[in-house]
Structure formats: C-alpha cells, structure tokens
Amino acid sequence: MSLNFLPPELVALLGAGFWHAAIVFLRVAAMVSVLPAMGELYVPARVKLAVAAAFTFVVAPALPAFAEPDGVMGFARFAVTEAIIGLAIGIGVRIFVLALQTAGTMAAQSTSLSQVLGGIGAEPMPALGAVLMISGVALAAMMGLHVRVAELLIRSYQMFPAGQFPAASGLTEWGVFRVSQSFSLAFTLAAPFVITAVIYNLTLGVINRAMPQLMVAMVGAPVITFFGLFILMVGSPMILDVWTRALMTFFANPGGGMP
C-alpha cells in the first residue's frame, strides 16, 4: 500500500528520492535541534530548518536509498525512531557543552566569581562558564564542527539502521556513561581553579589563626579573584585544547570507552 496522504503531483515533482530525503531529514532535524552553535535557543527556527535541510542534502546522497514507507503507520514508525536516534546523538554532542558550563560553574564557585555577568547564555551561568562555553563552541566551529557532524550522521546509519528502535538497555547504558564522562571532564577542566581555591583557603586559615585581629576575608577576596582571572587568561588555551580533543574523540568513536 503506497502513501496517499500527500498530493501525488508533489511526490512526482520531487522525484523518486523524495522519501529517502524525507527519512534522512527526520534524523538530521532532531539532531540539529540540540547541537551546539546550530541548535541554541537564540538561533531562529528558520535558521535551524535551513541547517537541517543543508545537512540532508549532504548526508542523503551518501546513503543507500530507503524504500518508500508502507502507508501512514510506516512513516509514523520512521518519524518516531529517527527522532529518538537523532536526539540521542545530538544530546551526546551537547553534553560536551554542558561539561564546559559545569567546569565554569565549579571554577566560579571556587574563585568568588559566580555572581559576575551571569546572564549571557540562555540559562543563567557564571561568567567563567559563559566565557568557556562561547570560546569552546567557536573553537569547535572553526575546527570543522559541521564536517564532523555530517560524518557522524552518515556513520550513525551503520550503528542505528533507519526505522529500527535502538535497544533501550544499550541506549540507557550509553547515556549514563556519557553523563559520567561529562562530569569527569568538567572536574578535569576546573582542576586548576579548584586546586588554587584549596591552597587559598588553607593559607587564609593559617593567617587567621596567627592574626585573629586581621580581617582576612577582606584582604583575601581580591587575591582569589585576581588568581581566578589570571588562571582563566593563562590556562584557557590548555583547557579548550583538552575539551576539543575529547570532543573530536567522541566524533571519531561515539561509543568508545564504554565498559
């Protein structure tokens, strides 16, 4: 039974590859909606639609042609499965941006910068988190984020065939692993700030014991703020380099490292 809920003139005009492109678009659009840079809340919906269409034109010719869905229910199955797979892959990439935000929050809390310039992103975040997030997304775009996304989309059809529901147990295990890796990466990125905060607080405690009359908090607050900004200036290239390497490793092997 062929589909009859679209005008036959439209299908004939678009050609035999209409359903092939439509099925690919379902996965691409779901992934683009949550991707860094392309799927941000402040990006207009028309721009996201144009990006999804552009990725479809790139990905669809690289895949074997899909058969026409068998009726409305067949297309509905494709719509559900492709949306789930696209969202899962897109969230796997998005988690790396969340790792930068988490690292910035940890760094800001450690260096008394958590309340400065906190409203840059779509969600409230400290200044360090906003700086790291914008810098990381810009660096990823400069290093060919769109190319890596297209390659990942093409390879995703080998991992998740079109129209087939992914195994719930495997997808859950993969998601938990990615989240745990995200927090591990965030702590690694924020380690210089956390170590500095520990040394600062130990020093402040020793000075307070030796000179109880001195208001150590008033003297120490500018010091920890200065060191926080200094570490951001000196260490941000290394932090972004570590983050970029982790992101590119994910693109090369999305399921790598799982036990």
Side-chain angles (χ1 to χ4, degrees):
M1 179 180 61
S2 61
L3 291 171
N4 53 11
F5 59 92
L6 286 180
E9 295 82 4
L10 176 62
V11 178
L13 176 65
L14 296 176
F18 170 71
W19 292 115
H20 175 71
I23 293 171
V24 172
F25 179 80
L26 293 172
R27 181 176 300 194
V28 170
M31 183 177 179
V32 168
S33 66
V34 293
L35 277 179
M38 310 167 196
E40 305 293 345
L41 293 178
Y42 48 78
V43 176
R46 293 183 180 89
V47 176
K48 296 179 182 179
L49 182 61
V51 172
F55 274 119
T56 301
F57 284 119
V58 173
V59 175
L63 301 173
F66 300 132
E68 180 180 334
D70 185 16
V72 178
M73 295 306 297
F75 185 77
R77 186 186 77 251
F78 274 107
V80 174
T81 57
E82 296 304 290
I84 292 174
I85 295 171
L87 284 174
I89 300 173
I91 291 173
V93 181
R94 187 74 189 179
I95 282 176
F96 284 89
V97 176
L98 299 179
L100 274 180
Q101 296 179 5
T102 304
T105 301
M106 296 170 64
Q109 293 288 349
S110 302
T111 54
S112 302
L113 293 171
S114 58
Q115 301 300 323
V116 182
L117 302 176
I120 296 179
E123 299 179 358
M125 72 182 75
L128 293 184
V131 170
L132 290 176
M133 184 197 72
I134 294 174
S135 302
V137 171
L139 181 59
M142 292 171 59
M143 296 187 66
L145 176 63
H146 57 292
V147 178
R148 300 291 181 266
V149 169
E151 293 174 348
L152 180 60
L153 280 168
I154 294 172
R155 294 201 312 272
S156 70
Y157 285 90
Q158 300 175 2
M159 300 181 291
F160 305 105
Q164 297 183 16
F165 282 94
S169 58
L171 193 60
T172 302
E173 183 181 358
W174 178 80
V176 172
F177 173 75
R178 296 295 353 151
V179 172
S180 63
Q181 288 294 104
S182 171
F183 280 100
S184 176
L185 177 62
F187 185 81
T188 301
L189 300 179
F193 300 92
V194 176
I195 293 172
T196 301
V198 171
I199 296 174
Y200 161 78
N201 285 292
L202 289 176
T203 305
L204 223 61
V206 172
I207 295 175
N208 190 38
R209 292 285 294 180
M211 302 176 63
Q213 305 87 348
L214 181 65
M215 297 184 65
V216 292
M218 296 294 292
V219 178
V223 175
I224 189 61
T225 301
F226 168 78
F227 274 107
L229 295 176
F230 179 78
I231 294 173
L232 178 65
M233 180 184 67
V234 175
S236 56
M238 180 184 64
I239 292 173
L240 293 176
D241 179 68
V242 172
W243 179 81
T244 306
R245 289 175 183 272
L247 178 62
M248 295 305 165
T249 302
F250 171 80
F251 278 121
N253 186 10
M258 288 187 60

